[in-house]
Amino acid sequence: MYRINKSSNNITKLEERQFKDLGFKEREHLQEWIAKNPDVLGEDLLIIQKEYNGFNDTNERLDLLAIDKEGGLVIIENKLDDTGRDVVWQALKYTSYCSTLTTDQIIRIYQEYLNQHAKSEDAKEQVLEFLDHEDDQDLLLNNNDQRIIFIANNYRKEVTSTVLWLLDHDIQLQCFRATPYSLNDELFLQIEQIIPLPETKEFMIDAKEKQKEKKGKSQKVEETRKELESFWLKLKDNLKSNGFSHTDNSNVHPRFYFGFSYLGEGFNFCIGRKYIRVELYFSSDRDKKKIDAMMQFKDELEAKIPNIQFQRLEDKKASRIKHEMSPEERAQIDGRWREETWPEYIDWYTKSMIHFFEVISQYWERVKNKSL
């Protein structure tokens, strides 16, 4: 890894280091960094437990437990400079323990975590907000197979060989390499996915989905997942061809939203049963300082973006600024989101987000520069 020096138009090589040589420890440092910044793993995760040992008839404890955007459980095991030989077996045990957890049990586990860290939030409300559910009527957690994520600086062959075999047998695993670097007194951390390689992930997903179909999984659900991935990929290509590069590094997932981060907040494309929208989503705005700071420009923004709406979401910690496709526009393209109408939706998303971002980002930069 190199550091770029713009003033001298040169690069300086960073020195690859070992965590132990820098005095870092597994639980006190690496685990805390991940718990506070789960997005370093390339997706939105909600950490719901740390050093959890509440399993029946065993005192074993897993490192981190998280929920992904589909309500699935993610077991995260982190090591420092060496995985050791038994990390896969250890993670599989924890995963088996977690496989029987019900929605109510998961909510309780998360509430215990919040209470331990003196946080006054309600666990169920936090989960609903994270999953973007309006209420808990259809809340179902841990409905699919659990996932495992490993993080370490060095992986032994015994570990990688086993991981690759498990992947081939439809066990959902990811391996990330965490590498510290130094330059003089500055320290840097690189976390990159090494198994499966990001460029082969899409192929592997396709292969696994085909196997699931053969096993009789719900065809409708699987078709929708594939359609969403395909739609977002086509949208990414269209945005890029129109000179919009902000989504180039955004990962595509089979979800009803897709987006990118800018100055710490999310610009998203969203598909709903009754709406199609682009938005600036403030995921952490309980005191409403961010939305209120943007609302001081309300008149200017309304003049530049038709039908723009400001939502403070009083009962949530989030807030948003959104622009939706009008009912008249949806009626012109037969209203329904389906493959035959994708070109019209992609065209609307592309034009709307380019204009929305160009306008909103200028004001968000001004607000952000005032250090909220």
Side-chain angles (χ1 to χ4, degrees):
M1 181 182 287
Y2 294 81
R3 180 180 182 184
I4 299 173
N5 189 321
K6 294 177 67 176
S7 61
S8 64
N9 192 26
N10 203 351
I11 57 176
T12 304
K13 186 175 183 180
L14 306 183
E15 181 184 356
E16 185 171 336
R17 304 291 298 275
Q18 293 284 305
F19 286 111
K20 63 180 181 181
D21 296 335
L22 296 171
F24 291 125
K25 297 181 179 179
E26 181 178 308
R27 293 181 181 176
E28 295 178 28
H29 298 107
L30 182 59
Q31 182 172 286
E32 283 298 312
W33 301 338
I34 298 164
K36 293 175 180 176
N37 304 277
D39 57 321
V40 299
L41 302 176
E43 62 178 300
D44 291 333
L45 294 171
L46 178 66
I47 302 297
I48 63 169
Q49 261 298 351
K50 179 170 58 178
E51 293 296 317
Y52 182 64
N53 64 346
F55 303 115
N56 293 333
D57 302 322
T58 176
N59 291 321
E60 293 179 298
R61 61 178 68 211
L62 58 79
D63 292 340
L64 293 171
L65 183 62
I67 297 174
D68 64 22
K69 278 293 190 177
E70 296 176 18
L73 288 183
V74 183
I75 290 80
I76 303 173
E77 284 297 298
N78 54 270
K79 303 295 179 184
L80 279 180
D81 298 310
D82 192 313
T83 58
R85 293 185 175 90
D86 301 322
V87 65
V88 178
W89 168 239
Q90 188 178 25
L92 288 173
K93 286 192 295 181
Y94 298 153
T95 305
S96 72
Y97 303 156
C98 291
S99 66
T100 60
L101 292 176
T102 65
T103 298
D104 288 341
Q105 288 174 322
I106 294 168
I107 296 296
R108 177 180 55 77
I109 288 170
Y110 184 30
Q111 190 64 64
E112 292 173 358
Y113 175 74
L114 293 173
N115 295 341
Q116 289 167 3
H117 293 82
K119 295 181 179 180
S120 59
E121 290 93 343
D122 179 82
K124 181 179 287 187
E125 287 300 318
Q126 293 293 305
V127 170
L128 289 172
E129 187 170 317
F130 175 73
L131 298 176
D132 200 23
H133 282 210
E134 295 297 329
D135 53 54
D136 62 356
Q137 290 184 357
D138 60 346
L139 180 62
L140 182 60
L141 304 177
N142 202 22
N143 191 41
N144 300 315
D145 281 344
Q146 299 70 41
R147 298 166 49 202
I148 301 172
I149 292 179
F150 296 115
I151 306 160
N153 178 256
N154 178 62
Y155 286 82
R156 297 196 185 190
K157 290 183 178 180
E158 302 99 308
V159 172
T160 55
S161 176
T162 306
V163 165
L164 291 171
W165 185 86
L166 289 168
L167 276 171
D168 193 46
H169 287 75
D170 213 15
I171 304 299
Q172 300 183 73
L173 291 143
Q174 291 169 276
C175 294
F176 288 80
R177 174 173 288 140
T179 309
Y181 292 88
S182 66
L183 178 63
N184 300 323
D185 293 331
E186 290 187 270
L187 296 178
F188 304 85
L189 177 66
Q190 180 184 42
I191 296 182
E192 56 182 342
Q193 183 174 323
I194 59 171
I195 299 177
L197 291 173
E199 56 266 30
T200 64
K201 185 179 179 182
E202 185 179 347
F203 168 79
M204 295 184 69
I205 290 175
D206 288 343
K208 298 305 178 186
E209 297 304 329
K210 194 170 184 179
Q211 292 175 14
K212 288 180 180 179
E213 287 181 1
K214 292 180 179 179
K215 294 177 182 178
K217 293 277 186 174
S218 171
Q219 187 173 358
K220 178 62 178 175
V221 172
E222 299 305 326
E223 285 177 355
T224 301
R225 289 167 58 88
K226 290 181 179 180
E227 287 175 353
L228 286 167
E229 286 188 332
S230 179
F231 179 79
W232 296 131
L233 286 170
K234 290 178 184 296
L235 176 61
K236 278 185 66 174
D237 290 341
N238 197 60
L239 288 164
K240 189 172 184 178
S241 67
N242 280 272
F244 192 81
S245 61
H246 291 282
T247 59
D248 287 358
N249 295 321
S250 297
N251 291 326
V252 168
H253 298 284
R255 301 169 185 159
F256 286 94
Y257 66 92
F258 166 68
F260 60 94
S261 179
Y262 183 74
L263 295 180
E265 302 296 341
F267 282 84
N268 300 316
F269 307 85
C270 304
I271 301 172
R273 284 178 293 181
K274 298 182 179 180
Y275 63 80
I276 299 292
R277 71 170 178 244
V278 293
E279 66 179 15
L280 170 57
Y281 187 75
F282 300 114
S283 60
S284 180
D285 192 24
R286 189 172 295 281
D287 55 12
K288 308 306 175 186
K289 287 184 178 179
K290 296 174 184 177
I291 188 71
D292 288 345
M294 291 294 288
M295 286 187 71
Q296 66 181 304
F297 307 112
K298 186 173 184 289
D299 292 341
E300 298 175 45
L301 289 169
E302 286 178 339
K304 296 178 180 180
I305 303 176
N307 302 321
I308 190 172
Q309 297 180 51
F310 297 79
Q311 292 186 313
R312 296 182 90 247
L313 303 178
E314 301 291 354
D315 57 339
K316 299 181 181 295
K317 73 173 183 179
S319 62
R320 68 162 60 92
I321 302 172
K322 67 177 183 178
H323 167 61
E324 294 187 353
M325 179 185 286
S326 69
E328 293 76 19
E329 289 176 299
R330 293 198 74 179
Q332 288 179 0
I333 54 177
D334 197 20
R336 291 176 294 169
W337 179 87
R338 62 188 194 282
E339 192 165 359
E340 291 82 358
T341 59
W342 283 3
E344 288 89 348
Y345 280 103
I346 288 173
D347 182 63
W348 184 89
Y349 270 133
T350 300
K351 292 177 180 177
S352 298
M353 179 56 86
I354 290 176
H355 179 61
F356 185 83
F357 178 77
E358 285 178 350
V359 174
I360 294 290
S361 62
Q362 299 176 41
Y363 292 91
W364 175 233
E365 287 168 6
R366 290 162 63 180
V367 169
K368 189 73 172 179
N369 287 336
K370 290 184 179 180
S371 301
L372 278 176

